Amino acid sequence: MEIVEMQNSNEHEHESHHHHEHDLHHHEKPMTQEEVVSSLLVLAQVALDSGDYESATEAYASVLKLEPNETAQYNLGSFYARGLGVKRDFMEAARLFHQAELLGNARAGKLCGKCMFDYVHEGIDHRAPIDVYAAMAVFVSRVYPEATDQKQEVNRGLFAVAGTRFNGGSYDEAAKVFRAAAEFGNDGYAQYYLGELYLSGAGLPQNDLAALYWFDCAADNGAADVAIKSRDDILNAYRQSLSASEFSEMMAMLADWCESGTPDVPVNPAKAAQWREFV
């Protein structure tokens, strides 16, 4: 009863409090997703302007939990590529850039490609060709999950990286990446360029017989337009410079390599049988 009387004696105060509660409930109306995203982007920009990359990263990551957003994808990709606020991760950077590219950001597509190059280059001195191929396969499955032909995408990526290194004169690295696509992706043009490196001794020990093997594989796997002439030039040079028995011995040696495998020629029973026919 006393409480009721107190409320009655402070009717004006009660009414004022009632109106305040009404206003409070009005302001606490749930924000729309669009408003939340907009607020998070503002917070991220404020953090970014002050150099607080960790807070900006958290805000952009929160945006992406709500919706695909080009700004968040692009900037977060930049953070991962440069190691700002997060541990540097070229594969994650590429994934984010590619997602931004799918939303229409052409520059993000170029940066995705650069991240792929950086990803393959990172630690390549300590990787065997099979490891390079496996790393690219993981990259493709993570960055391009929508690709209908994952193997083709892996070969495309490896060839792009190897070709750039080749054109830039980094033949050692080009040879390793071409070998990855040539042996494990069975890519004809990678096989052709690997043959060229063996033939010239660029990035690899000069080896005509290994070049012959890779040119022949390339001719079988879609690169006949360039590989057949190179393959036949070597065979004709052997025939002209070697006696019949020496030529037979050379072909037998290549067949042996294909049967047992060497650092330059992988095990390939079908090719071993093919070269035996020349003996």
Side-chain angles (χ1 to χ4, degrees), residues 41-206:
L41 290 175
V42 170
L43 288 174
Q45 188 60 53
V46 170
L48 187 57
D49 291 341
S50 65
D52 185 358
Y53 294 104
E54 291 185 2
S55 295
T57 295
E58 292 177 3
Y60 285 135
S62 296
V63 169
L64 294 181
K65 289 179 180 178
L66 297 173
E67 67 174 30
N69 183 279
E70 179 188 334
T71 298
Q73 290 161 343
Y74 185 94
N75 287 348
L76 200 52
S78 298
F79 295 168
Y80 275 103
R82 299 164 63 190
L84 298 174
V86 291
K87 183 179 179 181
R88 189 172 67 179
D89 186 334
F90 291 123
M91 181 162 57
E92 179 62 8
R95 186 188 72 81
L96 288 160
F97 282 136
H98 180 58
Q99 292 303 309
E101 178 187 14
L102 293 177
L103 294 179
N105 191 319
R107 176 167 172 74
K110 294 179 180 179
L111 291 173
C112 176
K114 183 181 185 306
C115 286
M116 179 182 71
F117 282 72
D118 292 335
Y119 169 80
V120 175
H121 178 74
E122 193 174 43
I124 195 170
D125 290 342
H126 308 293
R127 290 177 177 172
I130 190 172
D131 299 320
V132 174
Y133 186 86
M136 182 59 83
V138 171
F139 181 93
V140 166
S141 66
R142 174 72 172 160
V143 177
Y144 305 110
E146 75 281 2
T148 55
D149 190 333
Q150 292 276 303
K151 181 178 179 180
Q152 184 180 57
E153 196 68 30
V154 170
N155 283 344
R156 183 200 66 79
L158 289 172
F159 190 85
V161 172
T164 299
R165 297 294 188 250
F166 181 92
N167 291 333
S170 299
Y171 298 120
D172 290 354
E173 191 169 316
K176 185 175 288 188
V177 182
F178 276 136
R179 177 67 180 265
E183 182 175 354
F184 304 102
N186 208 32
D187 182 84
Y189 284 96
Q191 291 166 341
Y192 169 75
Y193 279 101
L194 187 59
E196 286 288 342
L197 291 174
Y198 273 114
L199 189 62
S200 63
L204 292 165
Q206 200 281 331

Side-chain angles (χ1 to χ4, degrees), residues 2 13 21-22 36 39 42 57 103 106 112 159-161 165 181 184 190 217 240 249 255 257 260 265 278:
E2 291 178 358
E13 180 180 339
E21 286 184 341
H22 177 74
V36 172
S39 297
V42 170
T57 295
L103 294 179
C112 176
F159 190 85
V161 172
R165 297 294 188 250
F184 304 102
C217 289
Q240 292 173 10
E249 288 175 4
W257 289 0
S260 59
V265 174
F278 285 86

Side-chain angles (χ1 to χ4, degrees), residues 188-190 192-193 196 215-233:
Y189 284 96
Y192 169 75
Y193 279 101
E196 286 288 342
F215 286 145
D216 186 56
C217 289
D220 292 341
N221 293 304
D225 56 325
V226 290
I228 288 177
K229 182 180 184 305
S230 296
R231 178 197 65 191
D232 291 349
D233 283 349

